[in-house]
Amino acid sequence: MAVLEVRHLCKRFGENQVISDISFEVNKGEVLVIIGPSGSGKSTLLRCINRLEKVDGGTISVCGDEMITGYETDKKGIQRPVYASPEVLRKIRLNVGMVFQNFNLFPHFSVLKNITDAPVCVLKQDIQSANEKAMALLEKMGLKEKAQAYPCELSGGQQQRVSIARALALNPQILFFDEPTSALDPELTGEILKVIKELAKEKMTMVIVTHEMAFARDVADRVIFMDGGVIVEQGTPAEIFSNTQNERTKAFLKRFSESDL
């Protein structure tokens, strides 16, 4: 069953075509990893799916709900997408979770409140249930003792684990990671990758943008290689990393040492 379906997605910034006619789907329990050089459109793709950017063309479906219902022509004669009703968009939003590069925690909230704020305010959970769920997630992340700490008192790796717990607190059907280790020192990267691998073992549906090639090879069910705003190649980790026949993919992977792969 497809949790996410993307069809013919396009996105421009002015005259710059950042994403061109991208189509793919993600099935329940699948881990899709997206790799490619900087500027290839990977992060923009995630932002479009999470409605942090408006698309210029194509369709997106999350758990069977269509994000875009049609198109209309503006005063300049340009076709613009028409997004679904607020009720449908809210349902979609609750089915997706996003973990950003730079944590995006509320600095004036404790770790516990960072995690419980959305369940209480958005899902209208009672505070006791939200706290219990948050503490269980913190224990899973190895951070139970940090519940009353503030983000400034945590390492980067700890802050990112809190960000993951916050995303999981809303019980999303699919979790997106946008370069989750790019803001971390190398010695802190491993603890985040370990958490994501554990989620993969639990069959959490995930889409991960990363430059960590060894991690991508180990955790992915399927890999997409993007360049220039298009999907150049997709396949299993073995097909992409060990047996690619695509010259552009080969050139990209040559940048990485054997230990990276």
Side-chain angles (χ1 to χ4, degrees), residues 8 19 38 66 146 161 206:
H8 308 295
I19 296 174
S38 297
E66 295 290 341
K146 299 293 186 180
R161 280 183 278 162
M206 294 184 283

Side-chain angles (χ1 to χ4, degrees), residues 111-112 138 142-150 153-154 158:
V111 164
L112 185 63
L138 285 173
L143 293 172
K144 190 173 183 179
E145 74 285 357
K146 299 293 186 180
Q148 299 306 322
Y150 286 82
E153 300 173 305
L154 306 179
Q158 290 171 331

Side-chain angles (χ1 to χ4, degrees), residues 50-85:
N50 283 274
R51 288 181 50 244
L52 299 172
E53 300 285 354
K54 286 191 173 182
V55 306
D56 293 301
T59 63
I60 300 169
S61 173
V62 178
C63 297
D65 292 309
E66 295 290 341
M67 189 180 297
I68 297 162
T69 59
Y71 288 83
E72 61 184 7
T73 304
D74 66 16
K75 294 179 180 179
K76 296 181 180 179
I78 300 173
Q79 279 200 328
R80 303 291 187 189
V82 176
Y83 279 80
S85 68

